[in-house]
Amino acid sequence: MERNLISNNALSNLIKERITEDILFGNVQPGEKLIETQYADRLGTSRAPIREAFYLLELEGLVKKIPRKGTVVKGFTAEEMKDLLEIRNFLEEQAINKLGNTANSEFLNKMERLLIQMEENRDDRSSYAKLNYEFHFQLILASRSDVLKNFYSRLGTPLLLLQSMSFMGEKSIEKSLQEHKELISLIKQQELEKALTLLRSHNQDVFLRIEKHATKSIY
């Protein structure tokens, strides 16, 4: 029984990731209904893990269950987008403020390795968005604050979706790469005030790029 439970949980999480990819790639749009039977047929499984995956997506804020309509892709209003990015910016600023002289080589090496992978995946928007999230998450981990790490982790999938939207523009990834290189350089030189200024500008640009994708209302 315990093994079956673990297996079902793992399957539900895999299905959740697959549906998340559909949302990231725009295969399903805000307001569109997710149908259990379609995903069950497509993925060759029963409806139970699909239902659980829908529940997990609802917890992460990507979908909403509406009476007499079912589970729909939620979308974000401009205000929600702004709130998410402001929370992200606040947490990352707090992380940088905690760095002081603790930005050790291990932390910087991880950022640089991620930057190389980002350059290699510059033509794959979904992969780039995930690597970009991991890059920023390194700032949080470098703070050695469990509080910051836990709060940032809760932004997870919604933040990843916003980042994926922000890379739809032709030159947005190139600009992102350049700013990430500058951020590493500033941290290495202990120019933390300049790093904070760059980070604020970087996050503001993200909002300006995704604002047009906001939904007019929430469900």
Side-chain angles (χ1 to χ4, degrees):
M1 179 68 70
E2 184 177 351
R3 181 178 298 177
N4 289 337
L5 181 61
I6 293 172
S7 177
N8 287 337
N9 287 340
L11 181 58
S12 296
N13 276 287
L14 286 173
I15 294 169
K16 184 203 74 169
E17 292 302 319
R18 183 69 64 86
I19 299 173
T20 299
E21 287 288 335
D22 281 346
I23 297 173
L24 289 176
F25 280 112
N27 296 330
V28 287
Q29 299 293 324
E32 188 171 342
K33 182 178 177 179
L34 299 179
I35 301 174
E36 289 180 14
T37 53
Q38 288 183 354
Y39 275 103
D41 292 342
R42 174 181 160 191
L43 301 174
T45 185
S46 68
R47 294 172 62 178
I50 303 293
R51 197 175 300 116
E52 177 67 17
F54 284 5
Y55 172 72
L56 295 173
L57 287 165
E58 186 175 12
L59 290 180
E60 293 189 355
L62 285 189
V63 305
K64 187 170 182 65
K65 193 169 184 178
I66 302 175
R68 296 183 298 279
K69 185 170 184 179
T71 301
V72 300
V73 178
K74 183 175 175 294
F76 296 95
T77 65
E79 191 65 26
E80 286 176 319
M81 290 177 172
K82 186 176 180 182
D83 287 345
L84 272 169
L85 292 172
E86 285 183 347
I87 294 169
R88 169 200 178 182
N89 191 69
F90 173 79
L91 294 174
E92 291 181 358
E93 285 189 15
Q94 293 304 306
I96 287 180
N97 284 328
K98 285 179 174 292
L99 289 181
N101 295 318
T102 65
N104 58 46
S105 58
E106 180 184 359
F107 153 66
L108 291 170
N109 286 340
K110 287 180 181 178
M111 292 181 72
E112 288 174 332
R113 286 196 298 271
L114 283 166
L115 186 57
I116 291 171
Q117 293 179 58
M118 289 163 70
E119 289 178 322
E120 293 172 347
N121 287 271
R122 69 207 312 160
D123 296 325
D124 183 341
R125 180 165 57 89
S126 179
S127 295
Y128 186 89
K130 291 175 183 177
L131 291 165
N132 180 74
Y133 176 86
E134 289 299 323
F135 181 99
H136 283 263
F137 194 45
Q138 289 303 315
L139 289 175
I140 303 299
L141 295 179
S143 72
R144 297 179 174 85
S145 167
D146 287 338
V147 172
L148 294 183
K149 182 180 73 173
N150 291 337
F151 273 102
Y152 199 90
S153 295
R154 293 177 190 176
L155 300 180
T157 307
L159 184 55
L160 181 59
L161 177 59
L162 296 191
Q163 290 173 329
S164 183
M165 288 179 186
S166 77
F167 298 131
M168 289 181 179
E170 184 178 349
K171 297 181 180 179
S172 57
I173 287 182
E174 296 304 320
K175 187 174 188 294
S176 169
L177 283 169
Q178 182 57 40
E179 289 176 345
H180 285 82
K181 290 176 184 176
E182 290 178 17
L183 186 62
I184 290 176
S185 177
L186 290 171
I187 293 174
K188 277 185 172 180
Q189 298 168 31
Q190 287 294 301
E191 297 278 0
L192 299 187
E193 285 301 320
K194 291 182 179 179
L196 287 170
T197 299
L198 175 61
L199 194 62
R200 293 184 192 114
S201 174
H202 178 77
N203 283 324
Q204 178 63 27
D205 284 348
V206 170
F207 177 71
L208 293 176
R209 291 200 299 269
I210 66 174
E211 188 177 14
K212 61 184 177 183
H213 300 289
T215 55
K216 287 187 170 68
S217 62
I218 57 176
Y219 295 95

